[in-house]
């Protein structure tokens, strides 16, 4: 979030008695993303009685609050105040950190790699090359457990989800679906295609923050061999710079 | 004086609180007591802070032994509470003597009950909350032999005549019914369901056995999404009603994944989320449309009721000397000195 463009116009929707959905509605997806994340940061920093927090994703922001303390109307006014502030002062700039993630591709580590290659009509090597070629922007923290949600690799086609989602995907699973990419921080059910696995520990429930990255940080994947997996096991994912 | 609770029969029980409100921004669900009204009431009846760790006992019988004198309160679904074999009232403070067994049996009509101990119990915290998170494997699930440290002891308080119940604080208990009416407001994506959105209000739904703290699955006639455009992942509120499959309606509860890509048809009000927390598999659910201002007013009325209870409890407990720090009683300065 180094750039601090002016916020885009937003629409605000009621989402029950304890939340509002704020949607940035311009044609510029990058500006929409930057708007909802700067607004989340502003709400967080400014703080208001009864506002629990904000969950920004791509073009939308969920603001949660305690209806015993504040109300949808008051929170809406608070959001509009935040937007006016950002209009004048811009969002605080934060230098993106970079993470390098070692991945064992295919085999038992990436059971869907061949299927994905077949669907894209590419070789397994080409899929790995495309997946490791790009520097990914972490767009948001998603379910489960602070997963880094990223725009996907430059594959020719969107990746279909599994018809039968797995009941259990291991922690460290490196997966793709649609035009998105992700690492699973914790064991969870999942319908995304798992193409590899990182031996690094992504989620550390004993430390705060639980995951080391924030939206706006950059992430690259690099291929390692199965015999190297054990060398990395137990190490925590840390920013390279 | 601190002591402990020794779990003899855990049933299905955890230590929880009102929830991990800082969780969602880190991608963690809020979790916490599913029936917030009952949990808050239990803590108030035990003269605790609202957010103090307490026990959530789901569906199955539960038994524990106290190693020290305690004051407890049990709320939530109707059940049989016994202390040292004596039947005791629910929704009132109850004295427990060191060595006595506390048993919760026959949870009926609802699903979850709450047991608060005056002074609370010790539990590990993550982001300021002890609420279990099943996805990341955090939290204190009770098993046979688990020992919970209690933070404060309260000497026995007994009605000297016939051991009659001592307290009658008179909180209006929520209704527990196998045919619940659930209030919802229009979801932000209601238009995507066109006219089929009305089906939500003309259908009786049945709670499926696959329901849990993450969400309830309801069988019945389903509204259908009219558009097919891809939805980008976005934050979804607690109470969001989605139609992810052709078989069931999904109502997200406190354990919900924070982001999802399904349109939100309607959102259950805070008060009705408590009612849903008590819905058992097989129970019938119908939905009623309300507005955000009405839902907020109902929520605040419930909070006011609990605040009244809190002031009654604090008056009575002050008279009984409960909740004071141990030590010498305050001496009135001698006259003339």
């Amino acid at each position: 979030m180094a750039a601090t463009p002016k916020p885009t116009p937003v629409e605000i929707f009621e989402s029950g008695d304890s939340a509002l959905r704020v949607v940035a509605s311009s044609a510029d997806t990058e500006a929409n993303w930057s708007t909802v994340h700067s607004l989340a940061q502003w709400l967080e920093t400014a703080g208001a009685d009864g506002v629990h927090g904000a969950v920004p994703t791509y073009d939308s922001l969920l603001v949660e609050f305690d209806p015993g303390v504040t109300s949808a109307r008051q929170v809406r006014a608070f959001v509009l105040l935040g937007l006016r502030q950002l209009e004048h002062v811009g969002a605080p700039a934060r230098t993106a950190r970079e993470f390098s993630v070692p991945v064992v591709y295919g085999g038992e580590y990436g059971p869907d790699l061949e299927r994905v290659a077949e669907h894209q009509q590419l070789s397994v090597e080409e899929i790995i090359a495309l997946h490791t070629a790009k520097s990914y922007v972490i767009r948001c923290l998603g379910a489960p457990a602070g997963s880094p949600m990223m725009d996907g690799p430059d594959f020719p086609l969107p990746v279909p989800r599994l018809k039968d989602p797995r009941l259990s995907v291991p922690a460290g699973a490196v997966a793709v679906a649609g035009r998105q990419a992700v690492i699973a921080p914790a064991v969870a059910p999942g319908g995304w295609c798992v193409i590899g696995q990182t031996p690094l520990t992504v989620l550390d429930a004993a430390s705060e923050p639980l995951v080391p990255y924030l939206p706006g940080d950059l992430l690259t994947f690099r291929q390692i061999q199965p015999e190297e997996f054990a060398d990395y096991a137990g190490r925590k994912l840390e920013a390279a710079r | 004086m601190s002591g402990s609770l020794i779990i003899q029969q855990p049933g299905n029980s955890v230590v929880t609180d009102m929830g991990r409100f800082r969780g969602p921004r880190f991608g963690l669900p809020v979790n916490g007591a599913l029936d917030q009204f009952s949990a808050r009431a239990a803590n108030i009846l035990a003269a605790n802070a609202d957010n103090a760790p307490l026990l959530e006992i789901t569906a199955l019988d539960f038994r524990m032994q106290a190693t020290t004198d305690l004051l407890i309160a049990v709320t939530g679904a109707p059940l049989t509470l016994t202390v040292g074999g004596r039947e005791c009232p629910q929704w009132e403070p109850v004295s427990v003597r060191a060595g006595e067994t506390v048993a919760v049996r026959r949870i009926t009509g609802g699903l979850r009950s709450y047991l608060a101990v005056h002074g609370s119990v010790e539990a590990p915290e993550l982001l300021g909350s002890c609420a279990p998170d099943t996805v990341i494997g955090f939290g204190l699930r009770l098993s046979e032999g688990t020992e919970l440290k209690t933070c404060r002891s309260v000497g026995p308080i007994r009605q000297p005549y016939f051991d009659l119940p001592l307290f009658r604080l008179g909180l209006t208990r929520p209704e527990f019914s196998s045919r619940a009416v659930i209030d919802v407001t229009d979801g932000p994506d209601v238009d995507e369901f066109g006219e089929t959105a009305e089906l939500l209000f003309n259908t009786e739904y049945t709670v499926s056995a696959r329901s849990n703290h993450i969400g309830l699955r309801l069988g019945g006639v389903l509204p259908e999404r009219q558009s097919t455009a891809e939805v980008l992942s976005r934050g979804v509120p607690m109470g969001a009603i989605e139609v992810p499959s052709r078989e069931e309606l999904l109502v997200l509860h406190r354990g919900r994944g924070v982001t999802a890509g399904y349109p939100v048809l309607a959102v259950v009000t805070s008060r009705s989320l408590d009612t849903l927390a008590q819905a058992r598999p097989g129970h019938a659910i119908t939905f009623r449309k309300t507005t955000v201002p009405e839902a907020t007013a109902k929520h605040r009325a419930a909070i006011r009721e609990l605040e009244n209870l809190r002031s009654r409890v604090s008056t009575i407990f002050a008279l009984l000397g409960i909740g004071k720090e141990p030590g010498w009683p305050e001496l009135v300065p001698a006259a003339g000195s």
Side-chain angles (χ1 to χ4, degrees):
Chain A
M1 254 184 281
T4 60
K6 297 295 177 206
T8 63
V10 303
E11 288 179 81
I12 303 178
F13 299 91
E14 279 182 349
S15 290
D17 62 22
S18 312
L20 287 179
R21 182 201 284 174
V22 182
V23 179
S25 49
S26 82
D28 181 347
T29 54
E30 201 67 29
N32 290 343
W33 176 75
S34 153
T35 297
V36 296
H37 283 269
S38 338
L39 183 57
Q41 191 57 47
W42 186 89
L43 295 170
E44 198 66 51
T45 312
D49 270 358
V51 176
H52 292 314
V55 182
T57 58
Y58 294 88
D59 62 352
S60 91
L61 175 72
L62 185 78
V63 187
E64 294 185 289
F65 54 88
D66 178 348
V69 178
T70 184
S71 68
R73 238 184 66 209
Q74 284 169 299
V75 175
R76 182 187 290 261
F78 184 50
V79 165
L80 292 173
L81 174 68
L83 286 165
R84 277 202 301 280
Q85 288 278 314
L86 292 174
E87 192 81 48
H88 293 303
V89 299
R94 191 179 73 82
T95 313
R97 290 166 305 164
E98 289 176 28
F99 293 84
S100 170
V101 179
V103 179
V104 181
Y105 287 92
E108 57 179 303
Y109 298 97
D112 302 320
L113 178 62
E114 287 187 14
R115 192 198 337 245
V116 170
E118 208 171 300
H119 177 257
Q120 301 289 337
Q121 297 180 321
L122 294 173
S123 69
V124 159
E125 290 71 28
E126 285 169 315
I127 292 290
I128 296 172
L130 283 171
H131 193 255
T132 51
K134 194 173 151 181
S135 177
Y136 299 83
V137 179
I138 296 176
R139 293 297 176 181
C140 60
L141 307 188
S147 306
M149 312 289 286
M150 300 168 281
D151 298 331
D154 296 326
F155 291 161
L157 305 166
V159 180
R161 285 167 199 241
L162 299 178
K163 283 205 186 73
D164 286 312
R166 290 193 174 86
L167 292 175
S168 175
V169 175
V174 171
V176 286
R179 293 281 182 196
Q180 290 181 281
V182 78
I183 309 172
V187 182
W192 290 36
C193 293
V194 178
I195 60 171
Q197 189 180 354
T198 178
L200 298 183
T201 302
V202 176
L203 174 102
D204 180 3
S207 76
E208 203 173 313
L210 308 178
V211 290
Y213 41 77
L214 285 171
D217 285 341
L218 301 171
L219 195 148
T220 51
F221 295 105
R222 61 176 205 278
Q223 185 176 16
I224 59 167
Q225 298 308 312
E227 50 274 22
E228 293 175 86
F229 195 90
D231 301 342
Y232 289 93
R235 282 199 231 166
K236 282 166 66 167
L237 173 63
E238 281 169 346
R241 63 191 174 88
Chain B
M1 190 182 76
S2 70
S4 55
L5 303 176
I6 296 158
I7 308 302
Q8 297 169 319
Q9 182 184 2
N12 180 6
S13 56
V14 296
V15 178
T16 191
D17 57 20
M18 299 305 278
R20 185 166 291 107
F21 292 100
R22 288 174 59 214
R25 92 180 79 128
F26 300 107
L28 298 185
V30 63
N31 278 307
L34 270 84
D35 177 350
Q36 297 259 298
F37 182 88
S38 295
R40 210 186 280 252
N43 266 331
I44 290 173
L45 288 164
N48 288 338
D50 285 13
N51 200 36
L54 82 173
L55 276 58
E56 181 178 67
I57 302 166
T58 303
L60 305 176
D61 289 357
F62 169 91
R63 210 170 66 240
M64 68 176 190
Q65 192 177 31
T67 68
T68 183
D69 294 339
L70 294 174
L71 189 79
I72 65 166
V74 177
T75 62
L79 49 80
T80 308
L81 170 67
T82 57
V83 174
R86 301 181 308 280
E87 200 164 316
C88 295
Q90 211 183 336
W91 298 90
E92 299 287 355
V94 171
S95 255
V96 179
R97 279 191 197 163
E100 283 184 329
T101 292
V102 176
V104 166
R105 292 202 189 86
R106 291 190 293 280
I107 296 178
T108 45
L111 199 55
R112 295 183 165 89
S113 69
Y114 295 87
L115 190 161
V117 180
H118 175 65
S120 192
V121 295
E122 287 179 10
E125 283 190 0
L126 173 67
L127 297 175
S129 165
C130 72
D133 185 313
T134 51
V135 173
I136 63 166
F138 177 83
L140 201 48
R141 171 165 289 283
L142 302 179
S143 48
E144 194 182 330
T146 302
E147 200 175 328
L148 290 174
K149 289 259 170 280
T150 56
C151 307
R152 216 176 285 159
S153 177
V154 178
I157 304 157
R158 283 278 177 76
Q159 161 70 267
Y161 301 103
F162 311 117
D163 226 4
L164 291 169
L166 189 63
F167 297 99
R168 199 162 294 160
L169 287 156
L171 178 70
T172 312
R173 301 175 191 193
E175 272 177 41
F176 295 91
S177 162
S178 59
R179 313 189 83 79
V181 179
I182 298 300
D183 286 340
V184 301
T185 58
D186 273 342
D189 310 309
V190 62
D191 292 344
E192 292 200 26
F193 293 85
E195 286 176 4
T196 72
E198 282 305 309
L199 288 171
L200 187 67
F201 304 104
N202 307 331
T203 305
E204 187 173 81
Y205 294 93
T206 310
V207 179
S208 144
R210 289 167 63 226
S211 303
N212 58 19
H213 65 292
I214 296 173
L216 286 91
R217 290 169 190 277
L218 308 178
V221 185
L222 302 181
E224 223 172 299
R225 191 182 171 203
Q226 307 294 300
S227 60
T228 52
E230 178 96 1
V231 177
L232 281 172
S233 293
R234 57 196 172 196
V236 285
M238 279 183 282
I241 300 184
E242 300 174 345
V243 192
S245 77
R246 289 289 174 92
E247 286 91 51
E248 285 162 330
L249 211 59
L250 177 62
V251 187
L252 296 173
H253 218 295
R254 301 185 70 83
R256 101 288 189 209
V258 175
T259 58
Y262 295 107
V264 177
L265 165 64
V267 186
V268 176
T269 65
S270 299
R271 284 301 290 132
S272 283
L273 275 174
D274 291 350
T275 310
L276 278 183
Q278 298 292 358
R280 298 176 75 102
H283 278 189
I285 300 286
T286 51
F287 292 100
R288 179 169 64 193
K289 193 186 285 210
T290 185
T291 62
V292 168
E294 268 178 46
T296 307
K298 273 198 180 175
H299 179 78
R300 290 183 176 177
I303 298 281
R304 268 198 305 279
E305 200 173 329
L306 289 172
E307 289 309 318
N308 290 339
L309 177 70
R310 191 197 311 279
S311 71
R312 291 200 295 280
V313 169
S314 76
T315 307
I316 293 167
F317 281 22
L319 289 170
L320 292 169
I322 302 170
K324 285 195 185 141
E325 292 305 311
W328 293 102
E330 269 178 51
L331 296 176
V332 181
S337 67

